[in-house]
Amino acid sequence: MKTSIKALLLLGLFGFSSTSFALSESEAEDLADLTAVFVYLKNDCGYQDLPDGQVRRALMFYAQQNRWDLSNYNSFNMKSLGEDSYRDLSGIAIPNDTKCKSLARDSLSLLAYVR
């Protein structure tokens, strides 16, 4: 009997932990990093035709897939976080072609989910 109660409590905890909570600082930074990747692709890799609306939907999809609650999104200085991420990305000392191919390969597929 005690084992089944423990199992139910554990299942309840797992169920509770999968619900969303307000966006954490590290999640906001991750979102800013992904935004910076798309900005970099548009500005530095020749993908200037990527529709902004589709990029925004991809970012929202990414947040939803991670079960992030964006209700406190405006409490973060996302512009500053994004600019910092963009600077960091720009400063990576590898050839731009290599960087662009890697970023495109790893992130453009996200756009396919939000057409």
Side-chain angles (χ1 to χ4, degrees):
M1 182 78 158
K2 286 185 180 183
T3 304
S4 62
I5 291 173
K6 286 180 186 178
L8 281 173
L9 287 174
L10 282 174
L11 285 173
L13 282 175
F14 287 130
F16 181 75
S17 66
S18 71
T19 60
S20 60
F21 297 98
L23 195 64
S24 71
E25 187 173 341
S26 67
E27 292 165 347
E29 289 171 356
D30 288 348
L31 201 52
D33 289 344
L34 183 57
T35 303
V37 166
F38 283 115
V39 171
Y40 191 88
L41 287 169
K42 288 182 77 149
N43 291 345
D44 300 282
C45 298
Y47 288 92
Q48 59 272 12
D49 293 336
L50 286 176
D52 290 341
Q54 190 175 7
V55 170
R56 277 192 290 279
R57 286 190 303 277
L59 293 167
M60 293 300 294
F61 176 79
Y62 182 78
Q64 289 170 344
Q65 289 301 303
N66 285 294
R67 298 176 190 234
W68 293 345
D69 176 358
L70 300 178
S71 62
N72 66 330
Y73 177 87
N74 290 329
S75 68
F76 295 96
N77 187 343
M78 294 304 289
K79 183 176 188 230
S80 177
L81 288 173
E83 289 170 351
D84 290 345
S85 294
Y86 183 83
R87 263 191 306 282
D88 290 346
L89 188 55
S90 297
I92 296 173
I94 61 172
N96 198 54
D97 256 6
T98 304
K99 193 183 317 185
C100 289
K101 286 177 186 173
S102 178
L103 292 172
R105 180 187 64 240
D106 294 340
S107 60
L108 289 178
S109 61
L110 185 58
L111 297 176
Y113 292 100
V114 295
R115 288 192 161 240

